[in-house]
C-alpha cells in the first residue's frame, strides 16, 4: 500500500511538471507533499519564505502554511489561523464518530475551515501555482490542505507605512495638514474621509509585468465624463513594463506629448487638491508605494494655482495669483530681457541707469550672454546640490554658497552687480511656483529664451514667446486644451483663471471637462 502511494505521488508529480512545462501555469495537486515541493522549487531558496506543516486537530489531515517573514502578519497566523485549526474539528466531530479519521472527505474539511474555523475577513481560493506564489510574495498567507487541489490565500500582507503628516512639497499657510503616504489603502481611506460621497468610485488595476503593483483610479461617477474615464483606463491598460517604482513612471507613459517640456498630468501629495479635482469631473491615479497622486486632465493655469487660493478671501487670493503669474513671467524672461536691453536696445534704458550699468560692466570681459550663463549655471548647481544634501546642510549651502559665489564673482570682475541682481530675482521668482515640475520646465526654457535674446534682441524674446504660445495652444491633456479657458476662449471660466472671483460667482464647472453636472452651486 505504501509503495502504491509512493508510485501514485511520483506519477502526479511527473504529470504536474509536464503540465507546467507545456502551458507555463502549474495547477495544484491533491497531495500536500507534491504541492509543497512545487512551491519550494520556485521560492523555497529564499530565506524569508517560511513553511509550517501541522495537523488539523487530532486528525491525520495534513495542513501547511507558507508566508513571508516580515511581510505577513504573524499575529494573524498565530491567533486566527494555527490556533483555530490545531484545536480540532469540534463542529463535525459528532458526525464523523462512526467513520475513521482518515476517511474524512476533503470537501467537508475545506468547507469547515473556510466557514467555521478561519476568523479572518480576506480569503481567496486558487488552484494556480503562479497566482499562489505571486500572492505569497506580495504578503498573503497560503494555506494548503492535504486532499484538496485548491489553496486558501489569506490576508493582503502587513504594510508598515509612515505617519500621515503635512506634505513638504506643497506647504500652505491655511488649509488641511494632511498628505498622502506610500500605502495605497491609507491613501484611498484618506480620500473616503475627505468627502463622504457614495459616488466616489475607486477602480483597481495591477501594473508591472515582472514586479506587480496595485494601482487605482478615482473619479466621481456622477460628474466625470465617461469618455475621459474610459481613456484613462485604456492608457493604463496599455502600459507594459517590468516594474513601476513611482507614479512618475505612470505620468510619463500616459502623457499626450512626450516632447513637450510642460507636464500634462498634475502630481500632488495633497488629498484636498485631489478631491477638488474630482469634484470638477477630473480623474485621479494613485499607485501603491508612491505618495504622489496624479490628476488628469490638467491645464496650465492649474499648475500655477495653490489650494490656499480658495481658502482665503477672493481679493487676497486674486492678488497672490496675479503676483504668481508675474513671477512666472520673470522666471522665464528675466535674464533674456536684460541681455536684449544691454546688447541691442541701450536707448530704451534711462540715461542715469545706463551710466551706472556701464560703470559696473567696465571690467567684465564677457558679453552679457556668457555672463548670464555663468551665473545661471552656478545657481542651478547650487539649487541641485541643496536638494541632494541633508536639509540642514542643504539650506546652509544654498544661502552661504549664493552669497559667497556672487560676491566673489563681482569682486573678480567676472560678472556685473546688476547681473547678480537679475539672476537672484529670477531664482526667487521661480520658487513662487506651486508645482516643482513647472519650475523645471521654465528653467529649461529660460536658457532657450536667453539664446534668442542674444541673437535678435527684444525681437527674439517676442519670437520665442510666440513660438511658446503656439506650442501651448496645440498641446492637450487627455483631449482637453492645455491653455483652456484662454484658447479656446471661454469667458465663463475666467472667473477662476488669472483672477479668483468670489465663491458664490463660480457656480459652474469648467466647460472643457464636459461634466455630467455642469452646475456645482444652486
Amino acid at each position: 500500500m505504501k509503495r502504491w502511494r509512493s508510485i501514485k505521488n511520483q506519477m502526479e508529480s511527473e504529470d504536474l511538471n509536464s503540465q507546467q512545462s507545456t502551458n507555463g501555469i502549474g495547477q495544484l495537486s491533491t497531495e500536500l507533499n507534491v504541492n509543497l515541493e512545487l512551491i519550494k522549487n520556485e521560492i523555497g531558496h529564499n530565506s524569508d519564505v517560511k513553511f509550517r506543516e501541522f495537523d488539523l486537530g487530532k486528525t491525520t489531515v495534513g495542513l501547511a502554511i507558507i508566508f513571508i517573514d516580515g511581510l505577513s502578519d504573524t499575529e494573524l497566523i498565530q491567533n486566527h489561523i494555527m490556533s483555530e485549526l490545531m484545536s480540532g474539528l469540534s463542529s463535525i466531530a459528532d458526525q464523523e464518530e462512526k467513520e475513521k479519521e482518515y476517511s474524512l472527505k476533503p470537501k467537508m474539511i475545506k468547507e469547515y475551515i473556510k466557514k467555521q474555523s478561519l476568523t479572518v475577513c480576506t480569503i481567496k481560493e486558487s488552484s494556480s501555482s503562479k497566482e499562489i506564489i505571486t500572492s505569497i510574495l506580495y504578503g498573503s498567507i497560503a494555506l494548503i490542505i492535504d486532499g484538496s487541489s485548491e489553496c486558501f490565500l489569506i490576508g493582503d500582507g502587513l504594510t508598515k507605512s509612515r505617519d500621515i503628516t503635512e506634505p513638504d512639497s506643497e506647504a500652505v499657510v491655511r488649509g488641511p495638514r494632511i498628505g498622502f503616504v506610500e500605502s495605497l489603502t491609507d491613501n484611498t481611506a484618506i480620500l473616503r474621509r475627505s468627502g463622504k460621497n457614495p459616488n466616489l468610485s475607486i477602480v483597481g488595476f495591477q501594473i508591472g509585468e515582472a514586479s506587480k503593483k496595485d494601482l487605482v483610479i478615482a473619479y466621481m461617477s456622477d460628474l466625470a465624463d465617461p469618455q475621459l474615464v474610459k481613456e484613462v483606463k485604456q492608457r493604463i491598460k496599455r502600459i507594459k513594463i517590468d516594474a513601476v517604482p513611482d507614479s512618475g513612471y505612470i505620468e510619463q507613459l500616459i502623457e499626450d506629448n512626450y516632447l513637450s517640456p510642460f507636464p500634462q498630468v498634475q502630481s500632488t501629495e495633497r488629498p484636498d487638491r485631489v478631491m477638488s479635482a474630482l469634484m470638477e469631473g477630473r480623474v485621479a491615479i494613485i499607485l501603491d508605494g508612491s505618495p504622489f497622486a496624479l490628476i488628469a486632465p490638467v491645464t496650465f493655469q492649474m499648475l500655477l494655482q495653490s489650494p490656499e487660493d480658495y481658502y482665503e478671501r477672493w481679493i487676497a487670493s486674486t492678488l497672490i495669483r496675479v503676483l504668481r503669474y508675474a513671477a512666472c513671467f520673470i522666471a522665464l524672461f528675466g535674464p533674456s530681457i536684460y541681455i536684449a536691453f544691454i546688447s541691442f536696445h541701450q536707448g530704451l534704458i534711462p540715461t542715469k541707469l545706463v551710466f551706472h550699468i556701464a560703470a559696473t560692466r567696465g571690467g567684465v570681459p564677457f558679453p552679457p550672454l556668457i555672463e548670464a550663463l555663468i551665473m545661471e549655471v552656478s545657481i542651478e548647481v547650487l539649487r541641485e546640490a541643496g536638494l541632494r544634501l541633508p536639509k540642514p546642510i542643504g539650506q546652509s549651502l544654498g544661502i552661504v554658497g549664493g552669497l559667497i559665489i556672487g560676491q566673489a564673482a563681482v569682486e573678480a570682475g567676472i560678472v556685473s552687480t546688476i547681473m547678480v541682481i537679475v539672476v537672484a530675482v529670477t531664482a526667487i521668482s521661480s520658487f513662487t511656483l506651486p508645482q516643482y515640475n513647472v519650475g523645471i520646465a521654465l528653467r529649461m526654457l529660460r536658457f532657450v529664451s536667453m539664446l534668442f535674446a542674444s541673437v535678435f534682441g527684444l525681437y527674439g524674446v517676442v519670437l520665442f514667446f510666440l513660438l511658446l504660445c503656439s506650442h501651448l495652444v496645440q498641446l492637450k491633456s487627455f483631449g482637453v486644451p492645455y491653455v483652456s479657458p484662454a484658447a479656446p476662449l471661454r469667458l465663463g471660466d475666467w472667473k477662476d483663471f488669472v483672477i479668483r472671483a468670489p465663491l458664490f460667482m463660480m457656480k459652474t464647472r469648467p466647460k472643457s471637462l464636459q461634466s455630467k453636472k455642469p452646475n456645482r452651486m444652486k
Side-chain angles (χ1 to χ4, degrees), residues 164-315:
I164 298 175
T165 58
E166 182 180 3
D168 296 330
S169 60
E170 298 174 88
V172 295
V173 178
R174 182 176 182 178
R177 308 296 188 189
I178 187 173
F180 286 125
V181 294
E182 286 73 15
S183 173
L184 179 61
T185 54
D186 288 346
N187 293 338
T188 54
I190 290 173
L191 278 185
R192 293 289 185 188
R193 288 196 297 266
S194 298
K196 299 177 181 179
N197 192 329
N199 295 310
L200 176 58
S201 299
I202 298 179
V203 182
F205 296 87
Q206 274 203 339
I207 193 167
E209 300 295 319
S211 178
K212 295 186 179 298
K213 271 192 174 183
D214 290 333
L215 177 145
V216 299
I217 65 170
Y219 61 94
M220 294 295 178
S221 59
D222 62 330
L223 300 178
D225 182 13
Q227 293 299 324
L228 172 62
V229 177
K230 181 180 178 182
E231 179 66 21
V232 173
K233 291 180 179 180
Q234 288 179 349
R235 294 193 187 189
I236 291 177
K237 290 178 181 179
R238 286 199 297 263
I239 296 176
K240 303 297 180 182
I241 190 172
D242 286 345
V244 184
D246 185 76
S247 60
Y249 279 63
I250 307 296
E251 178 182 355
Q252 299 174 60
L253 293 173
I254 65 174
E255 62 184 0
D256 290 66
N257 186 355
Y258 69 94
L259 295 176
S260 175
F262 294 96
Q264 294 134 61
V265 179
Q266 187 178 25
S267 60
T268 179
E269 288 185 274
R270 298 193 62 88
D272 56 336
R273 187 191 288 269
V274 173
M275 282 302 302
S276 299
L278 297 183
M279 294 306 297
E280 287 184 342
R282 305 182 195 274
V283 178
I285 303 172
I286 308 176
L287 178 70
D288 188 24
S290 175
F292 286 90
L294 304 178
I295 300 174
V298 66
T299 57
F300 184 73
Q301 54 101 3
M302 286 178 58
L303 302 174
L304 296 183
Q305 295 176 356
S306 171
E308 197 173 6
D309 294 350
Y310 303 93
Y311 303 148
E312 295 290 349
R313 297 183 68 251
W314 72 277
I315 299 177

Side-chain angles (χ1 to χ4, degrees), residues 9 35 128 143 153 179 228 235 258-259 294 302 341 353 375 383 407 418 520:
N9 293 343
N35 296 331
S128 171
L143 173 62
L153 299 175
L228 172 62
R235 294 193 187 189
Y258 69 94
L259 295 176
L294 304 178
M302 286 178 58
F341 274 101
L353 183 59
M375 290 304 300
R383 190 202 307 258
Q407 185 65 27
I418 188 68
R520 57 181 168 186

Side-chain angles (χ1 to χ4, degrees), residues 494-510:
W494 277 59
K495 299 173 183 178
D496 192 21
F497 187 27
V498 179
I499 66 172
R500 205 277 279 173
L503 290 178
F504 66 85
M505 295 181 62
M506 296 190 295
K507 299 180 180 180
T508 59
R509 294 182 172 85

Side-chain angles (χ1 to χ4, degrees), residues 393-438:
I393 303 176
Q395 294 175 357
S396 303
L397 175 68
I399 297 173
V400 177
L403 293 174
I404 293 176
I405 291 178
Q407 185 65 27
V410 172
E411 293 179 356
I414 299 176
V415 297
S416 61
T417 308
I418 188 68
M419 174 54 74
V420 175
I421 296 175
V422 170
V423 172
V425 172
T426 303
I428 294 173
S429 299
S430 65
F431 288 133
T432 62
L433 302 178
Q435 294 286 308
Y436 175 72
N437 48 9
V438 180

Side-chain angles (χ1 to χ4, degrees), residues 10-23 26-27 34 37-38 41:
Q10 183 178 1
M11 292 175 61
E12 288 185 354
S13 179
E14 292 177 353
D15 292 342
L16 183 61
N17 293 333
S18 63
Q19 183 182 6
Q20 233 183 333
S21 62
T22 55
N23 57 18
Q27 300 295 321
V34 176
E37 188 66 25
L38 173 64
N41 290 336

